[in-house]
Structure formats: C-alpha cells, structure tokens
Amino acid sequence: MGKSRHLAGGGLLVAPLLLVSVVACGGDEGGAPPVFPASSASKSSPPDSPSPSDSGQGEKAEALATYRAYWDEVEKAYAKNSVEGTDIRKVSVGPARLAIEQSVRSARENGQAVKGGPRTTKLTVTEADLDRDVPKVRLSGCLDVSEWVIYRKDTGDPVPQPDDRLTRYVVTALLEKWPDGWVVTKSEPHQDTPC
C-alpha cells in the first residue's frame, strides 16, 4: 500500500498521474483568474440579507467551481499537447500551473499524448480561511483518471502502465482568492490513497 506508483515507458510523461504533484516549485505568479458563480444562501437567514456564513458558502462554492474549471483546462492542454489556447493561465498560478506546463511539454517532447479526460468527484472544502487579505481554501476530492489514456503519437499504441496503478485516488488542492477571483496555487495527487 505504501508503494509508490510510477508510469511505465520511461516515466517521462508524468501527465495524468503526477501532473499536479507540486510541492515546492516556484513559478510565474501572474495571470488574471476568472470569477465563477456562487451558490445559494443559507436556510437560516432571510433571502434578502445574507449572513456572514452565506458569504463563506458562496466563496467556497466559487473555489470549488474554479477547481473544476482547472481540470477542464488541464484536459484541454493534454488533448492539444500544449497549454496554448487554453485558459490554464487564468485558473492556476505558481506550482499548479508550472506542473501542468512542464508535464505537457514533457509529453510532447517524448512523443506521447493523452486521450480522454479526468473526472473529479466528491470535492469538499476541508479548510477555509476567508478573513485574511488573500482568502485561502483547501479542498479534497477524488480524481478518476481511468478514461485518460497515454499513448505514443507515432504508433498510436498505449504506453504500458503498472498493473497495480490506481486510477481513482485522492487529490488535494490549495486555492487563493486574488483580486479577479479564485486561482489554484497547488494541486497534489495522492496516488497511493484510493477513493
């Protein structure tokens, strides 16, 4: 169970399995994040006067929507084998963005591509610090990469994967709210923790 899982075929394409394994990397913190719609108000307060907790729920819903949008853009980047023409720079910064840019570039340089896409389920805010200059939210969810297939561009053959590779595992993330909205600053797969 504590055994590390690695990609076969030289391990150079870290894409669907390790693409967001970002712990201590730096990166360009620039870019304008988008703003995503908030969720509904709490049952305990009147509809025309939201309480502070309503605002917190809305902020959390926006952060979750941003994380979903992030994975949509990750899928687009792998489908194109490039981050160009995607909005990955709008929804991610620093280590989260750098990991995707490097992994997509590595796939391209090694003649690999990815078909299909990931799914995130069971996304939950695990911690929220909204009363600071730069609000932060930590979340956890399940990343399903079972439909994400790494293949050789020259032959179209799938890149062999370890038999014991998990295709559904826990992923955690850190998001910050910048002036233009929420951005993913860190996204970490926990490939030995099934979900």
Side-chain angles (χ1 to χ4, degrees):
M1 181 169 258
K3 186 167 101 177
S4 181
R5 302 187 191 289
H6 299 282
L7 292 174
L12 294 174
L13 175 61
V14 220
L17 300 177
L18 296 176
L19 71 114
V20 289
S21 179
V22 291
V23 250
C25 301
D28 175 10
E29 301 286 329
V35 176
F36 294 92
S39 69
S40 61
S42 168
K43 293 179 186 178
S44 62
S45 62
D48 57 351
S49 60
S51 71
S53 66
D54 292 330
S55 174
Q57 291 298 81
E59 294 289 339
K60 292 174 187 177
E62 288 179 19
L64 289 167
T66 299
Y67 195 62
R68 287 183 188 100
Y70 165 80
W71 279 104
D72 290 344
E73 296 308 313
V74 168
E75 180 178 351
K76 289 177 192 174
Y78 282 105
K80 297 173 62 137
N81 235 10
S82 173
V83 296
E84 298 306 319
T86 71
D87 286 334
I88 200 66
R89 292 182 176 116
K90 292 182 182 178
V91 294
S92 64
V93 296
R97 182 191 307 162
L98 182 63
I100 292 166
E101 289 173 343
Q102 289 175 339
S103 186
V104 169
R105 182 176 46 249
S106 176
R108 186 176 55 249
E109 290 171 355
N110 288 290
Q112 297 174 337
V114 180
K115 294 179 186 175
R119 283 190 21 221
T120 54
T121 59
K122 303 177 186 175
L123 288 178
T124 307
V125 172
T126 58
E127 184 181 329
D129 190 356
L130 304 174
D131 297 325
R132 46 183 291 147
D133 289 341
V134 178
K136 293 184 180 197
V137 166
R138 291 188 187 278
L139 58 86
S140 178
C142 183
L143 183 64
D144 182 347
V145 297
S146 61
E147 300 298 318
W148 228 359
V149 180
I150 305 165
Y151 68 96
R152 299 267 336 141
K153 285 189 79 168
D154 57 351
T155 65
D157 294 334
V159 173
Q161 301 298 312
D163 290 338
D164 64 344
R165 174 182 81 120
L166 289 178
T167 58
R168 290 176 46 100
Y169 48 84
V170 172
V171 64
T172 56
L174 175 64
L175 289 85
E176 293 181 351
K177 187 169 187 185
W178 288 19
D180 292 329
W182 288 95
V183 290
V184 179
T185 61
K186 189 182 288 188
S187 184
E188 298 177 293
H190 301 275
Q191 296 174 342
D192 291 328
T193 308
C195 56

